[in-house]
Amino acid sequence: MSATITSVTESAPGLPAPQGPGRRTGAVLALARFEARELLLQIPVLVFLLLYVGFTTARLMFQDGMSDYPVLNTVDRSTQTGPLFLAVALLVCSNSAALRSRKHGTVQQFDVMAMEPWRRVLAHVLSTVPLAVLTAVVVAAEFTREALKPGAIGHGSVGELAVGPLVVLMAGITGVLLARLVPMPFAPMLFVVAAYLLMVLATDVSESDEPQVGWLSPMVLSGISGGDPVPSDLLGRPAAWHALYLMGLCAALTCAALLLSGGRTRGVKAATALALAVTAAGAIGQFPRDTAALEAARKTASTTPQKVQSCTEHDGSTYCAFPEWKGVRDDWAAVVDRVRSAAGGSAAEAPVTVRQRIDTSGGIEVDSTLTPSATPGVVTVGTRWGGNRVPEFAVGAATVLVAGTEDATTRDMCDARAVTIMWLVLGADPTPMATFRDVRLDDSTTGSGLVLAPTNGLSLTSHQTAVVGELLARPRAEIAALVKKHWSELTSARTTTAEAAKLLGVAVPRGVESCDE
């Protein structure tokens, strides 16, 4: 009888036998794979993932001419804002997944399972990793596409590229942690609102006198909205340290969730200490060490750029650029050669000095107006190239060839010179009227208007605009010959617009020209 009882007792179900480390790890990974599939099938995550991928693809496919010359130290930062909505969706859905058992009243059933609560929490954390990896793939593809363009300028930062994926990962981990701290369904949305306000505040702080404090936010939006690019060494962004800081935060938040779930093992405690050390190191590393040297470098680049630029000569002219823009100098030379070939007299062979310039007096990467140079033969070019920036640069080059200096546009040019400048810019252009429209501030080809240039624009009267339109409607060879023939008269401030029209054989606009338009 006792043997029978013993046999029954040994075969009766009871608490699961303890599992070895390998089987426990396998169980955690199996649960993580299941939860990852569930996350990917959640409508908010799926929708925002598709929108993120679709928007990024569309942005890469439908680009204008300026995108042919991407500045890579701005491209890397532009990858950071795209994943934000995906991060919010992941935060909400990972929180919901971690609260699923509470919502359905099945928490007590986990007590009979071999997997400890903290291991289930670890599985939920690991389930968010695939979405961070997908984000990293999209970011890498976006940056690689831009970097492989022949006109790509400069280089990017791995630290900046890592921010988007790390923010997505942090959002998923935060959702799991909130499920342990505040097991309420509304907690994620309150956290999202607070996090948004924090990032806005951090951006304001990063642009103030204490920028290092702003970098304690997961993402700093300053410098992402646009503005004229600057050389990488003038940015002063501690991107690598910030990425290390984010990795430490992800690990620390994970350890906090495990500790709150009872995972007070030596391994978790050691990982917590390491995560806090990494986070502290990243935070400290973001504090600037030599702001005076950075400010001095920015001032030098703005006021005396020749000290930090290299120059090359082409057909008698000199082209000076910051190191990262050396590859664009041939494109500048091609524009100068085209403009100069349409000129007459000594201007057809006049050497110019093309100088790249920036202005950091009002801050870095802001849209600023460069002061026109008063030095004869100097042409200014900015840090953006391609698209409309090409004919705008041509306006600057033509102004120097016709008037001698860039600052001639700051004085009244209600004479033939403005017509001559526009002919040099548009005469050899394959689509002159379209370019004329693009280069004008109001996108028109009639009436008075401002023609854009790297420095001060060129103001055209309605009569000058009409004459330019008439010239572009005539055979190019005919007008080109007349421009060269009457070059001295057409570049004289004493020659009126009406007289220029007569010299070039086009109709004289009716009425009296008003120079105050």
Side-chain angles (χ1 to χ4, degrees):
M1 182 69 177
S2 60
T4 303
I5 293 174
T6 302
S7 175
V8 172
T9 302
E10 290 176 350
S11 61
L15 293 176
Q19 295 179 331
R23 296 189 64 184
R24 288 198 296 266
T25 302
V28 170
L29 294 178
L31 180 57
R33 286 194 295 269
F34 170 80
E35 292 294 347
R37 287 195 299 269
E38 289 297 305
L39 278 179
L40 286 171
L41 294 177
Q42 294 297 308
I43 292 178
V45 170
L46 184 60
V47 167
F48 283 108
L49 177 61
L50 292 177
L51 285 176
Y52 170 46
V53 175
F55 174 76
T56 302
T57 303
R59 188 152 57 95
L60 293 176
M61 291 180 61
F62 304 102
Q63 297 178 326
D64 58 16
M66 285 186 61
S67 299
D68 294 337
Y69 297 84
V71 180
L72 298 183
N73 69 34
T74 63
V75 173
D76 55 9
R77 282 172 284 155
S78 69
T79 64
Q80 297 177 10
T81 54
L84 281 179
F85 286 112
L86 175 60
V88 173
L90 180 58
L91 188 152
V92 173
C93 291
S94 65
N95 180 267
S96 177
L99 291 175
R100 188 188 305 120
S101 58
R102 179 181 293 270
K103 177 181 177 181
H104 296 291
T106 59
V107 176
Q108 293 78 10
Q109 297 180 18
F110 287 126
D111 293 339
V112 300
M113 296 183 65
M115 185 180 294
E116 301 96 319
W118 70 270
R119 294 187 187 276
R120 291 196 299 272
V121 170
L122 178 59
H124 280 292
V125 169
L126 294 176
S127 71
T128 65
V129 173
L131 279 166
V133 172
L134 285 175
T135 304
V137 171
V138 176
V139 166
E142 181 180 0
F143 182 80
T144 301
R145 165 68 187 274
E146 297 297 286
L148 291 179
K149 290 182 177 179
I153 298 169
H155 54 82
S157 166
V158 176
E160 299 284 12
L161 294 172
V163 170
L166 287 174
V167 167
V168 170
L169 178 61
M170 184 183 299
I173 297 171
T174 302
V176 177
L177 177 59
L178 285 175
R180 306 303 303 174
L181 289 173
V182 188
M184 300 295 177
F186 59 82
M189 297 314 300
L190 294 178
F191 180 84
V192 168
V193 173
Y196 173 76
L197 294 176
L198 174 64
M199 283 198 297
V200 172
L201 178 62
T203 300
D204 292 339
V205 172
S206 68
E207 295 174 345
S208 66
D209 295 332
E210 297 294 334
Q212 64 273 16
V213 177
W215 281 93
L216 298 181
S217 167
M219 181 181 292
V220 179
L221 300 179
S222 63
I224 295 179
S225 58
D228 294 330
V230 298
S232 299
D233 57 353
L234 303 183
L235 289 174
R237 290 176 63 91
W241 286 110
H242 188 63
L244 181 66
Y245 169 71
L246 292 182
M247 288 188 286
L249 274 182
C250 289
L253 293 174
T254 299
C255 292
L258 298 181
L259 291 172
L260 288 172
S261 305
R264 294 178 176 84
T265 65
R266 280 186 294 181
V268 173
K269 291 179 181 179
T272 302
L274 179 60
L276 292 176
V278 171
T279 304
I284 295 172
Q286 293 177 101
F287 281 65
R289 292 173 175 79
D290 195 354
T291 55
L294 180 61
E295 290 301 323
R298 290 174 177 175
K299 183 177 180 180
T300 298
S302 297
T303 58
T304 54
Q306 62 272 17
K307 293 182 178 180
V308 291
Q309 291 180 343
S310 61
C311 301
T312 186
E313 289 195 5
H314 175 81
D315 198 17
S317 293
T318 305
Y319 301 87
C320 302
F322 294 107
E324 292 170 282
W325 277 263
K326 290 190 297 184
V328 194
R329 292 185 296 200
D330 289 342
D331 297 274
W332 301 342
V335 175
V336 171
D337 289 346
R338 176 171 60 82
V339 172
R340 195 165 49 182
S341 66
S346 60
E349 298 179 354
V352 298
T353 297
V354 175
R355 172 80 61 189
Q356 191 173 40
R357 293 169 56 199
I358 60 174
D359 181 9
T360 62
S361 58
I364 61 168
E365 297 188 315
V366 296
D367 291 323
S368 57
T369 302
L370 298 172
T371 303
S373 174
T375 305
V378 173
V379 182
T380 295
V381 65
T383 52
R384 291 180 175 182
W385 187 251
N388 291 351
R389 296 298 182 268
V390 176
E392 290 173 15
F393 171 68
V395 172
T399 299
V400 171
L401 290 177
V402 171
T405 61
E406 284 183 335
D407 68 347
T409 57
T410 62
R411 300 181 291 274
D412 182 24
M413 198 177 281
C414 187
D415 50 63
R417 292 177 298 170
V419 174
T420 308
I421 289 171
M422 293 312 301
W423 169 255
L424 297 185
V425 174
L426 303 171
D429 193 280
T431 56
M433 291 305 293
T435 302
F436 191 24
R437 181 180 298 106
D438 291 340
V439 83
R440 280 173 59 113
L441 183 61
D442 59 358
D443 296 327
S444 71
T445 56
T446 59
S448 59
L450 181 67
V451 175
L452 299 174
T455 57
N456 274 21
L458 174 67
S459 182
L460 293 181
T461 67
S462 57
H463 282 59
Q464 290 168 335
T465 302
V467 172
V468 171
E470 290 283 346
L471 293 177
L472 298 179
R474 300 287 295 273
R476 290 184 182 178
E478 174 186 332
I479 301 300
L482 290 173
V483 168
K484 292 178 181 293
K485 179 180 178 181
H486 300 289
W487 180 257
S488 59
E489 296 99 319
L490 293 173
T491 55
S492 172
R494 294 188 295 271
T495 305
T496 66
T497 303
E499 291 172 339
K502 293 178 181 179
L503 290 172
L504 297 174
V506 298
V508 177
R510 296 181 180 180
V512 179
E513 183 176 19
S514 173
C515 297
D516 298 326
E517 295 180 279

